[in-house]
Amino acid sequence: MSKSQHAPAREKIPTLESLGVELHPETVTYVNDPHALAKALGGSGFFELFKNPLVLAAAVSACLGGLLFGFDQGIVSIVLTMKQFLSQFPETDKTVTSAAGLNKGVMTALLELGAFLGAIQAGFLADKYSRKYAIAFGMIWFVIGSILQASAYHFAQLVVGRFIGGVGIGILSSCAPMYISEISPPNIRGALLVLEAWTIVFGIVVMFYITYATRHIDSDWSFRIPFTVQMAPCVLLAAALWKLPYSPRWLAFKGRDEESLQSLMTLRRLPASDPRVQAEWIAIRAEAVRNREVAVSAHPQYQGDSFSSQLKLEAATWADMFRPKFFRKTQIGIMLMFLQQFVGVNALIYYSPTLFETLGLDSEMQITLSGILNIVQLGAVTIAFFITDRVGRKPILLWGAVGMTISHVVVAAMIGKYQHNWPAYPSQAKVGAAFIFIFMLTYGMGWAPVPWSMPAEIHDSAHRAKGVAITTCSNWFNNFIIGLITPPMIQNISYGTFIFFGAFAVMSIVYTIFFVPETRGKTLEQMDEIFGTHASQDNAIATEEILTIMCGLSQSASQPDSNKREKDLQTEYIERV
């Protein structure tokens, strides 16, 4: 018999007894009170992350896409200044061709274009073949791309390699938050979701200094070594991937309830008789059934297990996100990522040595300050980890937008007024460099983490995966544009580059004030109050009905009287629902 391809309909939900589970007396209490369940599973402090090594290892492995993207940014920022690289690929040398700026942009941006295409297909791959296999698929793409880059002797091969590697990064970066949110216990899920943003910056710092060291090699190995080393995490992941558990939510989504329970038991290191495991498993199954109902109700004509039906359903559910009912939430993710890129952060990361050159700094100082700039961003994102839930999302976005605007204005003024004779104005050059660091600090504390986390908060459960996927696609598409246009802008309009990005920083102030909601302290169901919709409330009511069925069906007429407390708890739960 072939394995199920989806969760069962409400009327066909199997009983707990038929699945070999005897309901614990405390299970229904935890089902009815998710906050009590989260508290029972442990605290939310930093050291709680290390109490379950398997979950932490799985989350770190899932963040490979962010780490690899960071590696690429760390490599490119130095490689584009290497004489050895420019000699091997004269298409990127401005002393050889006037099209060098455009060629650098194409080389940089093709990775982001590949990542955009990877992100589009990631949701379908993850739903069809599992989160684990989607991660493996992305890893294979990245390794192939890295081999092509490391072995390239022609510019065309280098560009193709970056595009192929980008597809892998796009798949990996999209699957990471999905997999992490589905394997993490609720008490530390938020902290683990910050890992992807943090690993991007960590990857930038690590690979920047690896490339910083290899630049002194007097051969083309100066850049081939970093392109080769970036594959190392893939080797480690390949060794560990087969041991990583399947997502219990994906297994429930596929109707594989027994396997879902086994996966959850492995992740929580608790037996099937534990009420915490039972409660979380029942909630996971209920959500899978409800999401299936939503899909069937919206698109009954595309239901079926065939590849064609599933592909059509995938396209239809993507289109749903742009209908009036959901578009306000969808555009928040799109616009946050648009502004995150168009305020110029990746222009600074990719081309920081070139930007510091416009301030009249010598080549050694350009590289040194670029490395420090990356460390500043890492520190800022680390600070965001501790303040986001205390201060709120909107305030740190607004403060960041104001700080970025001021920084762009000051840097543009310094370059525009003094670039004709930097040796005579060393203090002004230092002021310009200082405000580049201020930009990175204010960006890292707000605009680095919030555009990644907010879309996962504002969408209801039935549309959360697509909402996050669209946000990721927006990130990569806008990243592609920035990577393409920045080199020719720096080469041709100099300080105008900062005016350009400063204009979008001003736009980010306006957008934050008038369009960004504050989600601090709100439950996912309370998002209806912010957006004036009823999707979360409707889902909550329907899910409670499904939970009642699941818990009620566990009763049998032959159940002994010694289980009276269990019956009372279930009766109390049904009455409260």
Side-chain angles (χ1 to χ4, degrees):
M1 182 182 294
S2 62
K3 292 182 178 179
S4 174
Q5 292 297 311
H6 53 73
R10 190 181 300 201
E11 62 273 11
K12 295 182 179 180
I13 296 174
T15 65
L16 296 181
E17 286 86 350
S18 69
L19 297 173
V21 176
E22 182 179 350
L23 198 69
H24 190 281
E26 296 180 8
T27 296
V28 177
T29 300
Y30 287 135
V31 168
N32 195 36
D33 190 349
H35 295 293
L37 174 61
K39 186 177 180 180
L41 286 169
S44 57
F46 176 76
F47 291 104
E48 290 291 329
L49 297 174
F50 302 94
K51 290 186 177 180
N52 192 327
L54 178 59
V55 170
L56 181 60
V60 170
S61 299
C63 289
L64 178 67
L67 183 68
L68 296 179
F69 178 47
F71 276 7
D72 176 77
Q73 291 179 307
I75 291 173
V76 169
S77 62
I78 294 185
V79 158
L80 292 176
T81 68
M82 285 185 182
K83 294 180 181 179
Q84 305 93 316
F85 182 84
L86 298 177
S87 176
Q88 181 64 57
F89 303 106
E91 295 88 346
T92 61
D93 189 347
K94 65 181 180 181
T95 64
V96 175
T97 173
S98 59
L102 178 60
N103 290 333
K104 284 183 180 181
V106 170
M107 172 199 150
T108 303
L110 259 291
L111 182 134
E112 278 76 42
L113 181 60
F116 170 74
L117 297 177
I120 288 178
Q121 61 182 295
F124 179 75
L125 292 172
D127 283 348
K128 176 70 175 175
Y129 301 108
S130 84
R131 283 48 166 152
K132 269 183 63 171
Y133 288 149
I135 290 172
F137 193 57
M139 180 183 67
I140 293 170
W141 275 96
F142 183 80
V143 170
I144 294 172
S146 296
I147 292 172
L148 289 173
Q149 292 176 70
S151 62
Y153 284 90
H154 300 285
F155 185 69
Q157 180 181 336
L158 179 68
V159 170
V160 170
R162 290 184 59 76
F163 176 79
I164 292 175
V167 173
I169 288 178
I171 295 172
L172 289 164
S173 62
S174 295
C175 290
M178 191 187 312
Y179 184 68
I180 291 171
S181 67
E182 293 182 357
I183 66 169
S184 304
N187 57 304
I188 57 171
R189 183 175 296 128
L192 290 174
L193 282 170
V194 175
L195 275 176
E196 183 170 26
W198 191 88
T199 54
I200 291 175
V201 186
F202 179 73
I204 293 171
V205 173
V206 170
M207 192 52 70
F208 179 91
Y209 282 105
I210 290 176
T211 313
Y212 183 88
T214 63
R215 70 195 174 100
H216 297 294
I217 299 175
D218 192 21
S219 71
D220 56 4
W221 281 106
S222 60
F223 61 86
R224 296 192 192 281
I225 287 177
F227 281 134
T228 303
V229 169
Q230 69 177 347
M231 289 184 280
C234 292
V235 176
L236 296 175
L237 179 63
L241 189 61
W242 67 279
K243 283 192 172 182
L244 293 182
Y246 286 99
S247 160
R249 283 172 171 78
W250 177 78
L251 290 168
F253 169 73
K254 288 294 185 181
R256 293 156 62 175
D257 292 329
E258 296 95 331
E259 294 174 74
S260 174
L261 178 59
Q262 289 297 321
S263 176
L264 193 63
M265 290 163 53
T266 301
L267 286 164
R268 301 294 177 263
R269 300 186 298 174
L270 295 170
S273 58
D274 191 284
R276 294 166 294 179
V277 167
Q278 291 183 0
E280 190 174 0
W281 177 60
I282 289 171
I284 287 171
R285 292 175 61 217
E287 183 179 37
V289 171
R290 175 55 186 164
N291 288 347
R292 172 68 180 171
E293 287 182 346
V294 171
V296 170
S297 175
H299 305 287
Q301 71 275 29
Y302 297 137
Q303 301 309 311
D305 293 337
S306 69
F307 182 84
S308 174
S309 295
Q310 292 184 45
L311 193 61
K312 291 177 181 178
L313 180 62
E314 180 75 8
T317 51
W318 273 79
D320 287 343
M321 302 304 297
F322 295 92
R323 300 187 191 282
K325 185 177 180 181
F326 305 108
F327 183 68
R328 185 183 170 196
K329 295 180 179 181
T330 301
Q331 62 85 18
I332 288 175
I334 292 173
M335 286 301 299
L336 285 177
M337 281 301 185
F338 168 79
L339 292 169
Q340 184 198 61
Q341 295 305 311
F342 271 79
V343 295
V345 62
N346 280 325
L348 287 176
I349 295 172
Y350 279 130
Y351 309 111
S352 54
T354 307
L355 290 169
F356 283 125
E357 182 182 8
T358 64
L359 290 168
L361 303 177
D362 61 65
S363 59
E364 194 64 28
M365 185 58 70
Q366 295 166 23
I367 301 296
T368 300
L369 291 182
S370 296
I372 297 174
L373 187 69
N374 293 328
I375 293 174
V376 168
Q377 187 186 8
L378 182 63
V381 175
T382 303
I383 292 172
F385 178 84
F386 296 100
I387 69 171
T388 300
D389 283 327
R390 295 184 179 183
V391 177
R393 283 66 162 159
K394 192 164 184 170
I396 60 177
L397 284 178
L398 187 58
W399 298 342
V402 172
M404 292 185 300
T405 300
I406 294 172
S407 299
H408 280 311
V409 170
V410 172
V411 175
M414 294 299 104
I415 297 174
K417 190 170 183 179
Y418 302 109
Q419 67 177 338
H420 64 283
N421 189 12
W422 282 120
Y425 301 102
S427 297
Q428 286 80 357
K430 292 177 181 177
V431 169
F435 272 90
I436 288 179
F437 284 99
I438 292 173
F439 169 91
M440 192 60 77
L441 181 66
T442 54
Y443 167 86
M445 287 192 293
W447 284 88
V450 174
W452 288 101
S453 62
M454 184 172 285
E457 296 179 303
I458 61 178
H459 289 283
D460 61 88
S461 61
H463 300 88
R464 190 168 297 126
K466 289 292 186 295
V468 173
I470 290 170
T471 300
T472 306
C473 289
S474 174
N475 173 272
W476 291 118
F477 183 73
N478 292 304
N479 209 328
F480 161 70
I481 296 174
I482 292 299
L484 186 65
I485 67 174
T486 299
M489 285 174 62
I490 296 172
Q491 183 174 321
N492 297 314
I493 65 175
S494 185
Y495 70 90
T497 304
F498 290 92
I499 295 176
F500 175 82
F501 291 133
F504 287 101
V506 173
M507 184 186 297
S508 68
I509 296 175
V510 176
Y511 186 80
T512 299
I513 292 173
F514 293 104
F515 297 100
V516 175
E518 178 53 73
T519 59
R520 182 175 71 93
K522 299 286 187 181
T523 66
L524 297 181
E525 289 72 31
Q526 287 176 316
M527 294 302 159
D528 286 334
E529 300 174 10
I530 297 174
F531 293 95
T533 64
H534 301 284
S536 293
Q537 289 182 356
D538 293 344
N539 276 330
I541 293 171
T543 301
E544 286 175 349
E545 293 172 353
I546 295 168
L547 287 169
T548 302
I549 293 172
M550 287 183 173
C551 292
L553 285 174
S554 70
Q555 299 292 333
S556 64
S558 60
Q559 192 171 24
D561 292 338
S562 61
N563 287 338
K564 184 176 184 302
R565 174 167 170 74
E566 177 183 333
K567 293 180 179 179
D568 292 342
L569 283 170
Q570 291 177 350
T571 301
E572 176 187 353
Y573 171 73
I574 293 172
E575 290 175 351
R576 291 178 65 181
V577 171

